[in-house]
């Protein structure tokens, strides 16, 4: 806990507002000016806290990306029924007879 | 007959099996209880009494016809609203999925139906299970039944409160960093997070895939064992599901504890632990000693890094898991007329000032559709975690944050492996404090995150852990005891919890709701 | 080949190949081209909340076979990663692909040109990895700025991405590489490689190494997309090389001066055009997919697959030359027509006992018919054994070449056996006495010819042979000639 308190107080702001804005485009989130302000402050707090990980030597440690260490899980190449078109599109916010509709992707 | 909603699931099941009680009567009793109490508590986002009673009647008919309709036949159960239910709204407490109806059932939901359980309704949660207070739900408030000005914990707030307030004998939650155990502790019920892979995740709306695990909440360890036996097991539709047989948990419970080696986690009794919580937990350790357990001290040396590790890995996975909510194929979509009008206005504004660069950078209608949809569809906590995860995975930061966290995760797992060479289970608190007042941490996300201190490690390591009621604060709020074990030691955990409950009466207390 | 130009073209190719599986890579929807929109999808490939991927065993095996046939190393450990970007035909918001630990790497493919335009060479394969395909966005440009329609049938189809080293130095080399790659994939039966249907897609990276007084200078690398045929690849690369040289002369930009550009091939206008791309789009935020577990391939398994590969084009070409003594050019044509064609040839060569004649027939009559009728080898109605009877008859001189072609036509068009075709054309063996009788008669009718031949004008015999064939079409000139000469001698 001690180190945690220290990290909370001591860490300087490292994420700029511009960076937060760049990330918001990557994340496809529209943030208002106020959102950006708050987000920048809060992300800096959290990132500041998280940076304590850097203290820990981990040179020869294998990363652990999975909750369970299993290998070679396969399914057989055997067909199962697909959803009928109408059922597949049932939750679509906007659709025509057989497709999902979105604003034009060209001119992107 | 006394109030049915006061009984344990095991007791109710024996009454049903003996023909002394019908599922219809029982279901009706719980629906009445929900009707009477849920306005105050807010456990449920939706119930469908008609549908529940229909299931109950069908179960009664099958039992009367002499069929053996499954191990949970006729018992009502509540489902956290991040479990997909076919044709029924599954919201994750988010505006994004307010009207989403999955065309399939989660594997767990399928198994429960096959076992004859009666679905009572879908319970409230933090939005997409991200939070520890259920305050981030966009679709409803949930209160702690012991003190309605306090939070119930989260994210499985509805799942825990419906048990604590007698609105369901059993419920299903999900636990990514403590989301079953922490609300269980705050509400005075039992909550188990199984070994990663023990219960299929198929149909559980993902928050952080390598950490998420479905588990039971109930009043007693015995009830939890009854439920786990039904939902556990291999599922070919989940590549991370463990291909191991499911023990008969309930029969293991009865074996005596003698010789059990319990390790007290040194690091879980440091700075920040509330004195009342500490004394309740220490008292519980004494109970185990009396039960014949051998108590030693163990160290999980990387515990202090668990929160930092968790708050890198979980947001990274979440940022990716939640990318699919973009308003294209399902879920919420922003109003396109407003969108086009806004863009047009912005374009002409920029043209007027000859700001060519800004004009170039202006979102296309499609990009704006994504951004606006997600801005309106997600709440603040979800956005924060998406931003955090997107940042941590972005070019130049991946190694410093994500990869580093994966390595520390390995160290945390190794700590457990080390500890379990010495002891059978480790013991400690679930939370540093009892439930806190609503709104008290809402603007301080980091403070909220720090409350997950003792729970996140089990998720990072993939090991099972259980929360059991072990006392009350002076203010009358429940306190939880946490036991953690090596992979696939659910039987041991439940057995230890069961014997504790035979010795103590904490789980028999009921909040005054009237 | 390009030695006349003051620069060298450097080309690397990225090929995406759809694998021939029954079902998709991570769900069990049917993997087939051309169904009505959104009829081959399920919760998993639509990316509905709560769904999880499970890897198709067959898709992995086909990838393994291909990787090994491409002489790649197969590391013991491989995993799948999420590649994040937003596009409406990518419903999860990420593509499951492979990033830092692909299933195979460091292989090569040998290419050569029978015309000798370049020396035989091995083109390096940087990696081949298994990933999922995206769906389709359809936009009607004529309808203006309205909507795009999204069809997810293709979403989740297994793709093998094969990335070559930048080691091809002309559009011909690039085309040859693609042809050879396609042929290999066809022999392995891992893909049908249909570019029209998109089961084989090619992107090219190209730049120039320009000779300058200061030494060689590399120009910026351009990625070229939207090439829908090998011919388009060849033309796009030729165009792009010239365009880059002009640009170099004008602007003098070197590699590293500008960000990598993406250009699309416009087949109608025969030009490449710059495609707009936002800077942020390249930040894919790869990380290991926690929903899929890694795969471990033991070296013994790799060896096992290697043993079971069967005869691949390069080996088969050599064998046709040694076992059947056909010319390198003929072996090349035969093998390049695909495994079924080569198999047909081998059977025909074996049964007819005359490989060179078999090769000639295959490359002339058979190939022409296949092309004219747009038949696959499978659909060719004449079995090699039937065709072999025809070839043997020709060989024995029982029937001349032009008659044989008629018989061949009858066999292919009417689906007749050799015997039936001979009968229906009224072809019978003309016996020796009938032949002599006809000869006697003609020599009596045309005394001048007898005189001419006797005077040494052998070519005068042609008239008699022509007349003999006119009176009896079954007369084989080869068989007629000698008896006729003998009779004239006796006169």
């Amino acid at each position: 806990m001690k180190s945690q308190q220290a990290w909370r107080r001591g860490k300087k702001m490292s994420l700029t507002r511009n960076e937060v804005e760049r990330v918001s485009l990557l994340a496809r989130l529209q943030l208002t000016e106020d959102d950006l302000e708050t987000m920048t402050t809060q992300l800096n707090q959290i990132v500041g806290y998280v940076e304590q990980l850097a203290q820990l030597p981990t040179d020869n440690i294998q990363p652990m990306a999975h909750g369970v260490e299993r290998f070679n899980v396969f399914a057989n190449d055997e067909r199962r029924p697909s959803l009928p078109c109408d059922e597949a599109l049932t939750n679509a916010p906007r659709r025509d007879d057989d497709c999902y509709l979105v604003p034009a992707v060209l001119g992107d | 007959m006394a109030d049915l909603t006061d009984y344990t699931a095991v007791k109710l099941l024996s009454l049903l099996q003996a023909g002394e009680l019908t599922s219809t009567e029982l279901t009706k009793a719980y629906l009445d209880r929900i009707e009477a109490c849920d306005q105050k508590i807010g456990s449920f986002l939706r119930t469908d009494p008609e549908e529940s009673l229909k299931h109950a009647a069908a179960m009664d008919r099958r039992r009367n016809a002499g069929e053996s309709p499954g191990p949970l036949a006729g018992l009502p159960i509540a489902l956290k609203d991040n479990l997909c239910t076919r044709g029924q709204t599954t919201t994750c407490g988010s505006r994004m999925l307010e009207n989403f109806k999955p065309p399939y059932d989660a594997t767990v939901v399928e198994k429960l139906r096959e076992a004859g359980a009666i679905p009572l309704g879908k319970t409230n949660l933090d939005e997409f299970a991200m939070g520890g207070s259920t305050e981030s739900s966009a679709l409803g408030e949930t209160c702690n039944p012991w003190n309605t000005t306090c939070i119930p914990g989260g994210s499985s707030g509805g799942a825990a409160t419906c048990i604590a307030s007698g609105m369901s004998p059993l419920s299903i939650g999900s636990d990514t960093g403590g989301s079953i155990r922490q609300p269980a502790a705050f509400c005075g019920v039992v909550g188990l997070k199984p070994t990663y892979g023990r219960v299929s995740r198929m149909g559980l709306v993902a928050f952080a895939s390598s950490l998420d695990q479905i588990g039971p909440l109930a009043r007693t360890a015995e009830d939890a064992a009854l439920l786990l036996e039904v939902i556990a097991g291999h599922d070919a539709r989940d590549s991370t599901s463990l291909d191991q047989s499911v023990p008969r948990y309930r029969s293991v419970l009865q074996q005596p504890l003698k010789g059990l080696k319990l390790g007290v986690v040194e690091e879980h009794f440091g700075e920040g632990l509330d004195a009342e919580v500490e004394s309740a937990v220490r008292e519980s350790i004494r109970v185990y000693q009396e039960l014949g357990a051998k108590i030693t001290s163990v160290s999980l040396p990387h515990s202090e890094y668990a929160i930092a590790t968790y708050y890198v890995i979980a947001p990274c996975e979440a940022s990716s898991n939640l990318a699919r909510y973009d308003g294209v194929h399902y879920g919420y979509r922003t109003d396109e007329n407003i969108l086009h009008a806004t863009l047009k206005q912005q374009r002409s504004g920029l043209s007027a000032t000859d700001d060519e660069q800004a004009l170039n950078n202006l979102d296309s209608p499609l990009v704006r559709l994504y951004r606006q949809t997600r801005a309106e569809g997600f709440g603040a906590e979800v956005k924060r975690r998406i931003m955090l995860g997107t940042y941590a995975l972005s070019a130049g930061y991946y190694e410093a944050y994500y990869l580093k966290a994966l390595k520390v995760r390995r160290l945390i797992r190794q700590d457990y492996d080390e500890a379990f060479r010495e002891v059978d289970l480790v013991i400690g608190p679930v939370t540093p404090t009892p439930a806190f007042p609503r709104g008290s941490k809402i603007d301080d996300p980091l403070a909220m995150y720090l409350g997950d201190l003792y729970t996140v490690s089990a998720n990072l390591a993939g090991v099972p852990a259980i929360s059991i009621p072990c006392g009350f604060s002076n203010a009358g709020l429940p306190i939880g005891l946490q036991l953690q074990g090596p992979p696939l030691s659910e039987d041991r955990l439940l057995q230890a919890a069961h014997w504790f409950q035979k010795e103590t009466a904490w789980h028999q207390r009921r909040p005054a709701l009237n | 080949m390009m030695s006349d130009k003051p620069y060298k073209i450097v080309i690397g190719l990225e090929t995406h190949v759809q694998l021939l599986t029954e079902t998709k890579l991570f769900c069990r929807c049917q993997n087939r081209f051309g169904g009505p929109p959104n009829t081959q999808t399920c919760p998993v490939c639509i990316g509905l909340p709560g769904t999880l991927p499970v890897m198709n065993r067959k898709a992995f095996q086909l990838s393994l076979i291909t990787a090994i046939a491409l002489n790649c190393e197969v590391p013991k450990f491989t995993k799948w990663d999420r590649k994040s970007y937003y596009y409406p035909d990518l419903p999860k918001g990420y593509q499951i692909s492979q990033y830092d630990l692909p299933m195979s790497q460091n292989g090569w493919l040998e290419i050569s040109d029978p015309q000798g335009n370049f020396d035989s060479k091995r083109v390096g394969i940087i990696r081949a990895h298994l990933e999922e395909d995206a769906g389709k966005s359809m936009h009607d440009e004529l309808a203006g700025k309205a909507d795009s329609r999204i069809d997810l049938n293709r979403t989740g189809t297994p793709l093998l991405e094969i990335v070559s080293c930048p080691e091809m130095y002309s559009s011909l080399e690039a085309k040859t590489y693609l042809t050879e790659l396609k042929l290999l994939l066809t022999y392995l039966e891992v893909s049908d490689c249909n570019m029209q249907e998109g089961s084989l897609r090619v992107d090219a990276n190209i730049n120039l190494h320009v000779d300058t007084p200061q030494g060689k200078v590399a120009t910026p690398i351009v990625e070229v997309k939207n090439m829908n045929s090998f011919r388009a690849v060849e033309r796009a690369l030729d165009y792009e090389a010239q365009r880059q040289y002009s640009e170099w002369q004008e602007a003098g930009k070197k590699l590293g001066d500008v960000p990598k550009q993406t250009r699309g091939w416009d087949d109608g206008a025969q030009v490449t055009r710059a495609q707009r791309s936002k800077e942020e789009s390249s930040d894919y935020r790869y990380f290991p997919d926690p929903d899929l577990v890694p795969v471990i391939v033991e070296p013994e398994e790799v060896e096992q697959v290697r043993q079971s590969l069967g005869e691949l084009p390069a080996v088969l070409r050599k064998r046709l030359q040694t076992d059947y003594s056909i010319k390198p050019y003929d072996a090349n044509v035969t093998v390049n027509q695909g495994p079924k064609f080569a198999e047909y040839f081998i059977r025909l060569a074996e049964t007819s006992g005359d490989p060179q004649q078999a090769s000639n027939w295959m490359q002339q009559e058979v190939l022409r018919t296949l092309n004219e009728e747009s038949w696959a080898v499978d659909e060719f109605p004449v079995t090699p054994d039937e065709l072999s009877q025809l070839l043997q008859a020709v060989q024995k001189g029982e029937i001349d070449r032009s008659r044989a072609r008629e018989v061949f036509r009858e066999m292919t068009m009417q689906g007749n056996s050799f015997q039936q075709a001979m009968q229906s054309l009224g072809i019978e063996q003309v016996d020796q006495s009938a032949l002599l009788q006809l000869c006697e008669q003609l020599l009596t009718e045309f005394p001048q010819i007898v005189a001419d031949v006797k005077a040494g004008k052998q070519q005068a015999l042609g008239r008699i042979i022509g007349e003999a064939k006119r009176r009896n079409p079954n007369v084989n000139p080869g068989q007629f000639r000698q008896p006729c000469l003998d009779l004239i001698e006796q006169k």
Side-chain angles (χ1 to χ4, degrees), chain C residues 325-344:
Chain C
S325 314
I326 61 171
K327 292 191 281 290
Y329 177 86
D330 292 337
N332 202 45
V333 173
T334 303
V335 171
N336 288 9
Q337 288 301 317
K340 300 245 165 69
F341 190 87
E343 210 177 287
Y344 195 109

Side-chain angles (χ1 to χ4, degrees), chain C residues 294-311:
Chain C
V295 168
I296 288 179
V297 185
E298 300 293 346
E300 299 82 63
E301 195 185 339
V302 175
E303 209 34 57
Q304 225 169 1
V305 172
R306 199 190 308 281
Q307 298 303 326
S308 64
L309 280 181
E311 200 165 32

